[in-house]
Structures are given as C-alpha cells and as structure tokens.
Amino acid sequence: MRMFGALDLETAFDGCRFAIGIRNANDKSMRLGLTVGLRVFVCSNLAFQGDFTPVLAKHSKNFSVIDALAIGGDRIQRNFEPLRQQVETWRSRKSPTRRRNS
C-alpha cells in the first residue's frame, strides 16, 4: 500500500543528472511527495530528501493525484535552471588543490 521510488532523468548538463524522488501511500498513512535534486534520498523508513520539494500533498476527498503530479512536474522543470546555476557556482568556487609536504 506504500510506494517509494527514485527516477534518474535524461536531463543532464556538464556531468550532472537530475533525479526525482517520489513517495505515496494508498492507505493514506503518508502524503504524496515529490522531491528533485542532483541527488535524492527516499527510503521506506520515511526519510525523504532532495534539493527542492514541490509537492507534499495530503490525501483528502477531493484530492487528485494526476493534478498534483502535473503541478509538481511543472514546478520541477522550472527549478532545473536554479539548480544548474547552483552547481556552476559551486564549481567556480572550487578550492585549489593543496600540496602535501614530502
């Protein structure tokens, strides 16, 4: 009655690839969640981590999984560029290699 998964996307740049984590429960024991990042963590012990979490929706009488996933997918795609820019910032701040004394 519970689902946990991670999807590695084809969307990539300069050696990095985006991933989406997803969790859901048909028994309504936890809410639907999507997270995106360069690395995501999804586990059956309810650990759920990524760089950006566009959907955390409670199941209710009027809840539409299809609508929630469509909105989440749109938010994920809009967040790809800020994540890419963050990686470029990290790369530009890369510290110089330290030399060891022999």
Side-chain angles (χ1 to χ4, degrees), residues 39-94:
R39 192 174 279 231
V40 297
F41 184 71
V42 182
C43 186
S44 62
N45 71 0
L46 303 183
F48 191 67
Q49 181 65 43
D51 295 307
F52 174 64
T53 304
V55 175
L56 283 174
K58 290 185 178 181
H59 296 274
S60 66
K61 185 171 136 181
N62 298 320
F63 179 71
S64 169
V65 173
I66 294 171
D67 291 344
L69 292 175
I71 291 167
D74 181 54
R75 289 178 181 168
I76 286 169
Q77 288 180 341
R78 282 187 276 142
N79 199 54
F80 283 161
E81 185 59 24
L83 284 175
R84 187 193 64 74
Q85 289 174 357
Q86 181 64 50
V87 169
E88 294 302 323
T89 300
W90 291 335
R91 285 182 175 161
S92 69
R93 293 181 184 167
K94 196 163 110 175

Side-chain angles (χ1 to χ4, degrees), residues 37 50 101:
N101 294 333

